[in-house]
Amino acid sequence: MVSPSKHLDTAETNALAYWHLQSFKTKICCIGAGYVGGPTCAVIASKCADIKVTIVDINQARIDAWNSQDIPIYEPGLEEIVFAQRGKNLFFSTDVDAAILEADLIFVSVNTPTKKTGMGAGFAADLAYIEAATRRIALVAKSHKIVIEKSTVPCRTAESMRKILDANSRSDVTFDILSNPEFLAEGTAIKDLQNPDRVLIGSMQTPAGLKAQKALASVYARWVPQNRIVTTRLWSSELTKLASNALLAQRISSINALSAICEATGADVDEVSYACGLDSRIGPKFLKASVGFGGSCFQKDILNLVYLSQSLHLPEVADYWNQVVLMNEYQKRRFAESVVKTLFNTITNKNICILGFAFKKDTGDTRESAAIAMVKYFLKENANIRIYDPKVPESQMRYDLTVEDNVDVDIYNKRVKVCDTAYSAADGVDAIVVLTEWDEFKTLDYKRIYEKMTKPAFIFDGRLILPTAELKKIGYQTITIGKGDVE
Ligand code: UDX
Ligand code: ADP
């Protein structure tokens, strides 16, 4: 045995590394080094020192970033885990085949965006990435593999994966397919993974399927109490992921619908949601009114559910869930319109400060962020926009607006300025619009900001986080979602 304190030469280091790698009892491969695969497998590595976890991706830049000091995803606590495990039992690589070849368990964590064209466009999930990853597994595998759906997929995707695997693999290779959806929320991913409400594992109810289910359960059992590891049928597990997100989003749309009534009646949506949430049957979570939910999951998963319902000839069910998304669109439009109306029905050439571009606080993710729709709306009204977000870089905002959302590049260059601080973004503007609930926006020196603003100085709170009474005292005209003018 080599003493760890001894200085090793290269041959010894290689020998030790080889010995170390051979000592791993189980090997996990995760295909897709994104928001789901990265944090999930980093936590598995941190909890299971005897398991080798290799996260692979076809995106070289992303893998390079995971292997650098500047990892590609901002998530509290993630960096510490990656730095502690990387090179020990956690590896990032573009060598997809090598990782598949040696793995016992393979997580498929690739992206499943909503289809933009063709059949089911705007609703159905694009399964092209899942299919490509599955075909790769079939082609490369030389021994039994447990293939785990981690990405959110439509109900019965495992069936298609099974057909692809069976039709394209060696005759002596067998596969078990499990569904193990991820329920982590961005910003609290590490906490959610370390202490999950539940881990769900769906499998076929065959002896082999149940054995595979047990094998995966035994990985989670290292740190998750047994009673939180829930095993179900494959299709139930697949549907539960869509159902959970639909139910959560439905609560937000419900409180947002009520926020419109509050504004019209003088009721206060925070008071309503607090009082409703005290009923233990309702509970307090996911009842915070907002400018609209964003993120990569809610809209996509509900649209998926709508498509599934339509495909199953259940139009009433499809309409029911679709209304959750329509209400979200309405909320964004309503808030944007209220800015224009309040600023005397025109914002042409006015300067609007946007505080927050991420879809929620504590993440740099902008997917489906309400801010994108809002900025686009203001640009159509010929406003000048100054944006500050503590975590979203200018390149991302430019990409979201010009590439993803077709804002003309010349207009972007002329009218959008991304600032380094909230103070520079708010310097001398006509209105401030808070779109992400970053904590730092609660405690800015609003008196200092007010002094330089055009008067009347308007501040719009799309997240109900600002100290409204104080702001009013300073002289601001405050407009808050879900709060009428009546005191
Ligand atoms: C969600 C689910 O919570 C998670 O279980 C699933 O795995 C992925 O989708 P995420 O999108 O990361 O997670 O964020 P979440 O905290 O759910 O927030 C989604 C959106 O809803 C954000 O824009 C957030 O600001 C908004 N929201 C949330 C509200 O507007 N009000 C609330 O009360 C809660
Ligand atoms: P999610 O939020 O679901 O994790 P992301 O888009 O953040 O989605 O990450 C998915 C990752 O999967 C991307 O980095 C993408 O490059 C990767 N990916 C997609 N298809 C494949 C594939 N066939 N093999 C390896 N990686 C893939």
Side-chain angles (χ1 to χ4, degrees):
M1 186 70 188
V2 187
S3 149
S5 58
K6 188 182 150 223
H7 183 78
L8 303 175
D9 64 24
T10 311
E12 278 175 322
T13 309
N14 286 344
L16 183 61
Y18 180 76
W19 171 84
H20 188 51
L21 291 184
Q22 292 312 302
S23 73
F24 288 119
K25 272 196 246 127
T26 306
K27 297 189 179 81
I28 288 179
C29 158
C30 173
I31 305 181
Y35 282 91
V36 172
T40 308
C41 286
V43 168
I44 292 179
S46 75
K47 296 289 183 185
C48 310
D50 59 331
I51 296 181
K52 180 187 177 190
V53 181
T54 307
I55 305 178
V56 292
D57 204 294
I58 41 178
N59 182 336
Q60 181 74 54
R62 208 164 208 187
I63 290 299
D64 289 346
W66 278 111
N67 280 321
S68 75
Q69 287 304 104
D70 192 14
I71 61 173
I73 290 172
Y74 170 70
E75 196 59 62
L78 174 63
E79 195 178 76
E80 290 81 344
I81 290 180
V82 170
F83 291 168
Q85 301 306 132
R86 204 169 56 189
K88 288 186 186 143
N89 69 333
L90 176 64
F91 303 87
F92 296 91
S93 165
T94 49
D95 195 344
V96 179
D97 292 1
I100 292 174
L101 208 53
E102 70 170 10
D104 308 291
L105 299 112
I106 303 174
F107 285 102
V108 180
S109 301
V110 300
N111 32 337
T112 49
T114 304
K115 276 184 84 172
K116 286 194 172 149
T117 55
M119 202 170 74
F123 288 92
D126 185 348
L127 296 179
Y129 303 97
I130 292 268
E131 180 171 338
T134 310
R135 285 186 184 278
R136 203 69 221 163
I137 296 169
L139 205 72
V140 170
K142 289 189 179 153
S143 58
H144 176 75
K145 307 286 174 200
I146 297 176
V147 180
I148 305 151
E149 290 173 343
K150 199 57 159 155
S151 319
T152 306
V153 290
C155 201
R156 295 191 89 101
T157 298
E159 204 167 27
S160 313
M161 290 171 81
R162 156 72 56 206
K163 285 183 186 152
I164 294 170
L165 290 170
D166 288 348
N168 295 283
S169 56
R170 292 159 45 133
S171 57
D172 58 336
V173 174
T174 50
F175 299 95
D176 287 303
I177 303 178
L178 300 176
S179 159
N180 174 221
E182 191 44 74
F183 297 106
L184 66 81
E186 284 179 34
T188 53
I190 300 304
K191 216 166 66 148
D192 296 342
L193 287 160
Q194 289 174 332
N195 187 24
D197 286 344
R198 82 301 207 184
V199 166
L200 179 59
I201 307 175
S203 78
M204 295 304 284
Q205 303 298 294
T206 57
L210 295 171
K211 193 173 159 205
Q213 200 173 41
K214 250 192 181 165
L216 182 58
S218 75
V219 172
Y220 287 108
R222 314 285 186 93
W223 77 98
V224 180
Q226 282 291 353
N227 61 0
R228 290 202 214 156
I229 302 177
V230 179
T231 54
T232 64
R233 286 155 212 280
L234 205 42
W235 319 135
S236 306
S237 172
E238 287 180 339
L239 185 59
T240 299
K241 170 68 192 207
L242 296 183
S244 294
N245 277 345
L247 289 167
L248 290 168
Q250 181 206 43
R251 280 174 71 96
I252 302 170
S253 275
S254 298
I255 200 68
N256 283 344
L258 289 165
S259 76
I261 298 181
C262 288
E263 286 165 37
T265 57
D268 178 324
V269 75
D270 266 347
E271 291 177 352
V272 173
S273 100
Y274 174 71
C276 288
L278 288 176
D279 184 326
S280 60
R281 294 168 303 173
I282 297 173
K285 293 182 182 167
F286 274 72
L287 282 183
K288 183 80 179 168
S290 70
V291 63
F293 59 74
S296 69
C297 287
F298 281 176
Q299 175 164 317
K300 183 184 81 170
D301 289 356
I302 295 176
L303 293 177
N304 221 309
L305 203 56
V306 171
Y307 185 68
L308 179 70
S309 312
Q310 281 164 349
S311 317
L312 296 170
H313 307 294
L314 301 168
E316 289 82 0
V317 179
D319 288 350
Y320 174 77
W321 288 113
N322 201 31
Q323 193 57 36
V324 174
V325 175
L326 295 182
M327 180 53 63
N328 201 46
E329 292 303 311
Y330 167 72
Q331 186 76 345
K332 288 189 260 185
R333 203 172 54 242
R334 207 167 70 76
F335 191 63
E337 282 170 4
S338 82
V339 172
V340 179
K341 280 186 199 152
T342 309
L343 271 85
F344 315 110
N345 288 312
T346 176
I347 54 171
T348 299
N349 292 330
K350 287 184 180 166
N351 297 316
I352 312 281
C353 163
I354 302 288
L355 293 184
F357 200 83
F359 81 96
K360 65 176 192 179
K361 73 171 181 176
D362 292 337
T363 176
D365 194 350
T366 58
R367 288 179 290 179
E368 303 297 339
S369 177
I372 300 172
M374 221 57 68
V375 171
K376 200 175 167 188
Y377 186 98
F378 296 151
L379 287 174
K380 275 205 185 129
E381 295 284 339
N382 299 316
N384 298 316
I385 312 291
R386 304 167 69 95
I387 314 175
Y388 167 69
D389 186 286
K391 284 289 168 202
V392 182
E394 193 273 339
S395 56
Q396 185 62 49
M397 297 182 197
R398 175 180 287 271
Y399 177 83
D400 290 336
L401 289 163
T402 60
V403 181
E404 286 285 321
D405 243 348
N406 299 323
V407 167
D408 186 88
V409 176
D410 291 339
I411 291 182
Y412 178 92
N413 288 337
K414 184 174 160 208
R415 295 207 177 262
V416 178
K417 185 170 186 316
V418 177
C419 302
D420 289 341
T421 64
Y423 295 105
S424 53
D427 193 21
V429 296
D430 294 88
I432 296 170
V433 183
V434 176
L435 296 179
T436 313
E437 73 279 26
W438 287 104
D439 288 337
E440 66 176 78
F441 300 157
K442 296 179 190 168
T443 53
L444 292 172
D445 183 346
Y446 281 105
K447 196 162 184 338
R448 171 180 156 194
I449 292 173
Y450 177 81
E451 273 149 22
K452 289 189 162 177
M453 280 177 72
T454 303
K455 308 296 181 310
F458 294 102
I459 189 158
F460 296 83
D461 186 356
R463 291 290 187 166
L464 299 107
I465 56 162
L466 297 179
T468 311
E470 250 173 67
L471 296 176
K472 279 189 173 148
K473 249 192 237 154
I474 294 171
Y476 281 99
Q477 305 283 313
T478 62
I479 298 89
T480 307
I481 270 224
K483 300 203 182 194
D485 268 343
V486 187
E487 288 297 329

Coordinates of all heavy atoms in Angstrom, one line a residue, residues 247-310:
L247 N -49.4 20.5 -11.1 CA -50.1 20.9 -9.8 C -49.4 22.1 -9.2 O -50.1 23.0 -8.7 CB -50.1 19.8 -8.8 CG -51.0 18.6 -9.2 CD1 -50.8 17.4 -8.4 CD2 -52.5 19.0 -9.1
L248 N -48.1 22.2 -9.2 CA -47.4 23.3 -8.7 C -47.7 24.6 -9.5 O -48.0 25.7 -8.9 CB -45.9 23.1 -8.6 CG -45.4 22.1 -7.6 CD1 -44.0 21.7 -7.9 CD2 -45.6 22.6 -6.2
A249 N -47.6 24.5 -10.8 CA -47.9 25.6 -11.7 C -49.3 26.1 -11.6 O -49.6 27.3 -11.6 CB -47.5 25.3 -13.1
Q250 N -50.2 25.1 -11.4 CA -51.6 25.4 -11.2 C -51.9 26.3 -10.0 O -52.7 27.2 -10.0 CB -52.4 24.1 -11.1 CG -53.9 24.3 -11.0 CD -54.5 23.1 -10.3 OE1 -54.0 22.6 -9.2 NE2 -55.6 22.6 -10.8
R251 N -51.2 26.1 -8.9 CA -51.3 26.9 -7.7 C -50.9 28.3 -8.0 O -51.5 29.3 -7.6 CB -50.5 26.3 -6.6 CG -51.1 25.2 -5.9 CD -50.2 24.6 -4.8 NE -50.0 25.4 -3.7 CZ -50.6 25.3 -2.5 NH1 -51.6 24.4 -2.4 NH2 -50.3 26.1 -1.5
I252 N -49.8 28.5 -8.8 CA -49.3 29.8 -9.0 C -50.3 30.5 -10.0 O -50.6 31.7 -9.7 CB -47.9 29.8 -9.7 CG1 -46.9 29.1 -8.8 CG2 -47.4 31.2 -10.0 CD1 -45.6 28.8 -9.4
S253 N -50.8 29.8 -11.0 CA -51.8 30.5 -11.8 C -53.1 30.8 -11.0 O -53.7 31.8 -11.3 CB -52.1 29.6 -13.0 OG -51.2 29.8 -14.1
S254 N -53.4 30.0 -10.1 CA -54.6 30.3 -9.3 C -54.4 31.5 -8.5 O -55.3 32.4 -8.4 CB -54.9 29.1 -8.3 OG -55.2 27.9 -9.1
I255 N -53.2 31.7 -7.8 CA -53.0 32.9 -7.0 C -52.9 34.1 -7.9 O -53.3 35.2 -7.5 CB -51.9 32.7 -6.0 CG1 -52.0 33.7 -4.8 CG2 -50.5 32.8 -6.6 CD1 -53.1 33.5 -3.9
N256 N -52.3 33.9 -9.1 CA -52.2 35.0 -10.0 C -53.5 35.5 -10.5 O -53.8 36.7 -10.7 CB -51.2 34.7 -11.1 CG -49.8 34.7 -10.7 OD1 -49.4 35.3 -9.7 ND2 -48.9 34.1 -11.5
A257 N -54.4 34.5 -10.7 CA -55.8 34.9 -11.1 C -56.4 35.7 -10.0 O -57.1 36.7 -10.3 CB -56.6 33.6 -11.4
L258 N -56.2 35.3 -8.8 CA -56.8 36.0 -7.7 C -56.1 37.4 -7.5 O -56.8 38.3 -7.1 CB -56.6 35.2 -6.4 CG -57.5 33.9 -6.3 CD1 -57.0 33.0 -5.2 CD2 -58.9 34.3 -6.0
S259 N -54.8 37.5 -7.9 CA -54.2 38.8 -7.8 C -54.9 39.9 -8.7 O -54.9 41.0 -8.3 CB -52.7 38.7 -8.2 OG -52.5 38.6 -9.6
A260 N -55.4 39.4 -9.8 CA -56.2 40.4 -10.6 C -57.4 40.8 -9.9 O -57.8 42.0 -10.0 CB -56.5 39.7 -12.0
I261 N -58.1 39.9 -9.2 CA -59.3 40.3 -8.5 C -58.9 41.2 -7.3 O -59.6 42.2 -7.1 CB -60.0 39.0 -7.9 CG1 -60.5 38.2 -9.1 CG2 -61.2 39.4 -7.1 CD1 -61.2 36.9 -8.7
C262 N -57.8 40.9 -6.7 CA -57.3 41.8 -5.6 C -57.1 43.2 -6.1 O -57.5 44.2 -5.4 CB -56.0 41.3 -5.0 SG -56.2 39.8 -4.1
E263 N -56.4 43.4 -7.2 CA -56.1 44.7 -7.7 C -57.4 45.5 -8.0 O -57.5 46.7 -7.8 CB -55.3 44.6 -9.0 CG -53.9 44.3 -8.7 CD -53.1 43.8 -10.0 OE1 -53.4 44.4 -11.1 OE2 -52.3 42.9 -9.8
A264 N -58.4 44.7 -8.5 CA -59.7 45.4 -8.9 C -60.5 45.7 -7.6 O -61.4 46.6 -7.7 CB -60.5 44.5 -9.8
T265 N -60.3 45.0 -6.5 CA -61.2 45.2 -5.4 C -60.5 45.9 -4.2 O -61.2 46.3 -3.3 CB -61.6 43.8 -4.8 OG1 -60.5 43.1 -4.5 CG2 -62.5 43.1 -5.8
G266 N -59.2 46.0 -4.2 CA -58.5 46.6 -3.1 C -58.1 45.6 -2.1 O -57.6 45.9 -1.0
A267 N -58.3 44.3 -2.3 CA -57.8 43.2 -1.4 C -56.3 43.1 -1.7 O -55.8 43.6 -2.7 CB -58.5 41.9 -1.7
D268 N -55.6 42.5 -0.7 CA -54.2 42.4 -0.8 C -53.8 40.9 -1.0 O -54.1 40.0 -0.1 CB -53.6 42.9 0.5 CG -52.1 42.8 0.6 OD1 -51.5 41.8 0.0 OD2 -51.4 43.6 1.1
V269 N -53.2 40.5 -2.1 CA -53.0 39.1 -2.5 C -52.1 38.4 -1.4 O -52.3 37.2 -1.2 CB -52.5 39.0 -3.9 CG1 -51.0 39.3 -4.0 CG2 -52.7 37.6 -4.4
D270 N -51.2 39.1 -0.8 CA -50.3 38.5 0.2 C -51.1 38.1 1.4 O -50.9 37.0 1.9 CB -49.2 39.5 0.6 CG -47.9 39.3 -0.2 OD1 -47.8 38.2 -0.9 OD2 -47.0 40.1 -0.1
E271 N -52.1 39.0 1.8 CA -52.9 38.6 2.9 C -53.8 37.4 2.6 O -54.0 36.5 3.4 CB -53.8 39.8 3.3 CG -52.9 41.0 3.9 CD -53.7 42.2 4.2 OE1 -54.9 42.3 3.9 OE2 -53.2 43.1 4.9
V272 N -54.4 37.5 1.4 CA -55.3 36.4 0.9 C -54.5 35.0 0.9 O -55.0 34.0 1.4 CB -55.9 36.7 -0.5 CG1 -56.7 35.5 -1.0 CG2 -56.8 37.9 -0.4
S273 N -53.3 35.1 0.3 CA -52.6 33.8 0.2 C -52.1 33.3 1.6 O -52.1 32.1 1.9 CB -51.4 33.9 -0.8 OG -50.2 34.1 -0.2
Y274 N -51.7 34.2 2.5 CA -51.3 33.9 3.8 C -52.5 33.2 4.6 O -52.4 32.1 5.1 CB -50.8 35.1 4.6 CG -50.5 34.8 6.0 CD1 -49.4 34.0 6.4 CD2 -51.4 35.3 7.1 CE1 -49.1 33.8 7.7 CE2 -51.1 35.0 8.4 CZ -50.0 34.2 8.7 OH -49.7 34.0 10.0
A275 N -53.6 33.9 4.5 CA -54.8 33.3 5.2 C -55.3 32.0 4.6 O -55.7 31.1 5.4 CB -55.9 34.4 5.2
C276 N -55.2 31.9 3.3 CA -55.6 30.6 2.7 C -54.7 29.5 3.1 O -55.0 28.4 3.4 CB -55.7 30.7 1.2 SG -57.0 31.7 0.5
G277 N -53.4 29.9 3.1 CA -52.3 28.9 3.3 C -52.3 28.3 4.7 O -51.7 27.3 5.0
L278 N -52.9 29.0 5.6 CA -53.0 28.5 7.0 C -53.9 27.3 7.1 O -53.8 26.5 8.1 CB -53.5 29.6 7.9 CG -52.5 30.8 8.2 CD1 -53.2 31.9 9.1 CD2 -51.2 30.3 8.9
D279 N -54.8 27.1 6.2 CA -55.6 25.9 6.2 C -54.6 24.8 5.8 O -54.0 24.8 4.8 CB -56.7 26.1 5.1 CG -57.6 24.9 5.0 OD1 -57.2 23.8 5.3 OD2 -58.8 25.1 4.7
S280 N -54.5 23.8 6.7 CA -53.5 22.8 6.5 C -53.8 22.0 5.3 O -52.9 21.3 4.7 CB -53.4 21.9 7.8 OG -54.7 21.3 8.0
R281 N -55.1 22.0 4.8 CA -55.4 21.2 3.6 C -54.8 22.0 2.4 O -54.5 21.4 1.3 CB -56.9 21.1 3.4 CG -57.5 20.2 4.5 CD -59.0 20.3 4.4 NE -59.5 21.7 4.6 CZ -60.7 22.1 4.4 NH1 -61.7 21.2 4.1 NH2 -61.0 23.4 4.6
I282 N -54.6 23.3 2.5 CA -54.1 24.1 1.3 C -52.6 24.2 1.5 O -51.9 23.9 0.5 CB -54.8 25.4 1.3 CG1 -56.3 25.2 1.0 CG2 -54.2 26.3 0.2 CD1 -57.1 26.5 1.1
G283 N -52.1 24.6 2.6 CA -50.7 24.8 2.9 C -50.2 26.1 2.2 O -50.8 26.6 1.3
P284 N -49.1 26.6 2.8 CA -48.6 27.9 2.4 C -47.7 28.0 1.1 O -47.5 29.1 0.5 CB -47.8 28.4 3.6 CG -47.2 27.1 4.1 CD -48.2 26.1 3.8
K285 N -47.2 26.9 0.6 CA -46.2 26.9 -0.4 C -46.8 27.1 -1.8 O -47.9 26.7 -2.1 CB -45.3 25.7 -0.4 CG -44.5 25.6 0.9 CD -43.6 24.4 0.9 CE -42.9 24.3 2.2 NZ -42.2 23.0 2.3
F286 N -46.0 27.8 -2.7 CA -46.4 28.0 -4.1 C -47.7 28.8 -4.2 O -48.5 28.6 -5.1 CB -46.4 26.7 -4.9 CG -45.1 26.4 -5.4 CD1 -44.1 25.9 -4.5 CD2 -44.8 26.5 -6.7 CE1 -42.8 25.7 -5.0 CE2 -43.5 26.3 -7.2 CZ -42.5 25.8 -6.3
L287 N -47.8 29.8 -3.3 CA -49.0 30.7 -3.4 C -48.5 32.1 -3.4 O -49.2 33.0 -2.9 CB -49.9 30.4 -2.1 CG -50.8 29.2 -2.2 CD1 -51.7 29.2 -1.0 CD2 -51.7 29.2 -3.5
K288 N -47.3 32.3 -3.9 CA -46.8 33.7 -4.0 C -47.1 34.2 -5.4 O -46.7 33.7 -6.4 CB -45.3 33.7 -3.8 CG -44.6 35.0 -3.7 CD -44.8 35.7 -2.4 CE -44.1 37.1 -2.4 NZ -44.5 37.8 -1.2
A289 N -48.0 35.3 -5.4 CA -48.3 35.9 -6.7 C -47.1 36.4 -7.3 O -46.1 36.8 -6.6 CB -49.3 37.0 -6.5
S290 N -47.0 36.5 -8.6 CA -45.8 37.0 -9.3 C -46.2 37.5 -10.7 O -47.4 37.3 -11.1 CB -44.8 35.9 -9.4 OG -45.2 34.9 -10.3
V291 N -45.2 37.9 -11.4 CA -45.4 38.4 -12.7 C -45.6 37.2 -13.7 O -45.8 37.4 -14.9 CB -44.2 39.3 -13.1 CG1 -42.9 38.5 -13.1 CG2 -44.3 40.0 -14.4
G292 N -45.5 36.0 -13.2 CA -45.7 34.8 -14.0 C -44.6 33.8 -13.7 O -43.5 34.2 -13.5
F293 N -44.9 32.5 -13.8 CA -43.9 31.6 -13.5 C -43.0 31.4 -14.8 O -43.5 31.6 -15.9 CB -44.4 30.2 -13.1 CG -45.4 29.5 -14.0 CD1 -45.0 28.9 -15.2 CD2 -46.8 29.5 -13.7 CE1 -45.9 28.3 -16.1 CE2 -47.7 28.9 -14.6 CZ -47.2 28.3 -15.7
G294 N -41.8 31.1 -14.6 CA -40.9 30.8 -15.7 C -40.1 29.5 -15.4 O -40.6 28.6 -14.6
G295 N -39.0 29.3 -16.0 CA -38.2 28.1 -15.8 C -38.4 27.1 -16.9 O -39.4 27.2 -17.7
S296 N -37.5 26.1 -16.9 CA -37.5 25.2 -18.1 C -38.6 24.2 -18.0 O -38.9 23.5 -19.0 CB -36.2 24.5 -18.2 OG -36.0 23.6 -17.1
C297 N -39.2 24.0 -16.8 CA -40.1 22.9 -16.6 C -41.6 23.1 -16.7 O -42.3 22.4 -17.4 CB -39.8 22.2 -15.3 SG -38.3 21.3 -15.3
F298 N -42.1 24.1 -16.0 CA -43.5 24.3 -15.8 C -44.3 24.3 -17.1 O -45.2 23.5 -17.4 CB -43.9 25.5 -14.9 CG -43.7 25.2 -13.4 CD1 -43.8 26.3 -12.5 CD2 -43.3 24.0 -13.0 CE1 -43.6 26.0 -11.2 CE2 -43.1 23.7 -11.6 CZ -43.3 24.8 -10.7
Q299 N -44.0 25.3 -17.9 CA -44.7 25.5 -19.2 C -44.6 24.3 -20.0 O -45.5 23.7 -20.6 CB -44.3 26.7 -19.9 CG -44.9 26.9 -21.2 CD -44.8 28.3 -21.8 OE1 -45.0 29.2 -21.1 NE2 -44.5 28.4 -23.0
K300 N -43.3 23.8 -20.2 CA -43.0 22.7 -21.0 C -43.8 21.4 -20.6 O -44.4 20.7 -21.4 CB -41.5 22.4 -21.0 CG -41.0 21.3 -21.9 CD -39.6 21.0 -21.7 CE -39.3 20.1 -20.5 NZ -38.0 19.6 -20.4
D301 N -43.8 21.2 -19.3 CA -44.5 20.0 -18.8 C -46.0 20.0 -18.9 O -46.6 19.0 -19.2 CB -44.0 19.7 -17.4 CG -42.6 19.2 -17.3 OD1 -42.0 19.1 -18.4 OD2 -42.1 19.0 -16.2
I302 N -46.5 21.2 -18.7 CA -48.0 21.3 -18.8 C -48.4 21.2 -20.3 O -49.3 20.5 -20.6 CB -48.5 22.7 -18.3 CG1 -48.2 22.7 -16.8 CG2 -50.0 22.8 -18.5 CD1 -48.6 24.0 -16.2
L303 N -47.6 21.8 -21.2 CA -47.9 21.7 -22.6 C -47.9 20.2 -23.1 O -48.6 19.7 -23.9 CB -47.0 22.5 -23.5 CG -47.2 24.0 -23.3 CD1 -46.2 24.8 -24.1 CD2 -48.6 24.5 -23.6
N304 N -46.9 19.5 -22.5 CA -46.8 18.1 -22.7 C -48.0 17.3 -22.2 O -48.5 16.4 -22.9 CB -45.6 17.7 -21.8 CG -44.7 16.7 -22.4 OD1 -45.2 15.7 -23.0 ND2 -43.4 17.0 -22.4
L305 N -48.5 17.7 -21.1 CA -49.7 17.1 -20.5 C -50.9 17.4 -21.4 O -51.8 16.5 -21.6 CB -49.9 17.6 -19.1 CG -50.7 16.8 -18.1 CD1 -50.2 15.4 -18.0 CD2 -50.8 17.5 -16.8
V306 N -50.9 18.6 -21.9 CA -52.0 19.0 -22.8 C -52.0 18.2 -24.1 O -53.0 17.6 -24.5 CB -51.9 20.5 -23.2 CG1 -52.9 20.9 -24.3 CG2 -52.1 21.4 -21.9
Y307 N -50.8 18.0 -24.6 CA -50.6 17.2 -25.8 C -51.0 15.7 -25.6 O -51.7 15.1 -26.4 CB -49.2 17.3 -26.3 CG -48.9 16.6 -27.6 CD1 -49.5 17.1 -28.8 CD2 -48.2 15.5 -27.7 CE1 -49.3 16.5 -30.0 CE2 -48.0 14.8 -28.9 CZ -48.5 15.3 -30.1 OH -48.3 14.7 -31.3
L308 N -50.6 15.2 -24.4 CA -50.9 13.9 -24.1 C -52.4 13.7 -24.0 O -53.0 12.8 -24.5 CB -50.3 13.5 -22.7 CG -50.5 12.1 -22.2 CD1 -49.8 11.1 -23.0 CD2 -50.1 12.0 -20.7
S309 N -53.1 14.7 -23.3 CA -54.5 14.6 -23.2 C -55.2 14.6 -24.6 O -56.2 13.9 -24.8 CB -55.1 15.7 -22.3 OG -54.3 15.9 -21.2
Q310 N -54.7 15.5 -25.4 CA -55.3 15.6 -26.8 C -55.1 14.3 -27.5 O -56.1 13.8 -28.1 CB -54.7 16.7 -27.6 CG -55.2 18.1 -27.2 CD -54.3 19.2 -27.7 OE1 -53.2 19.0 -28.1 NE2 -54.8 20.4 -27.6

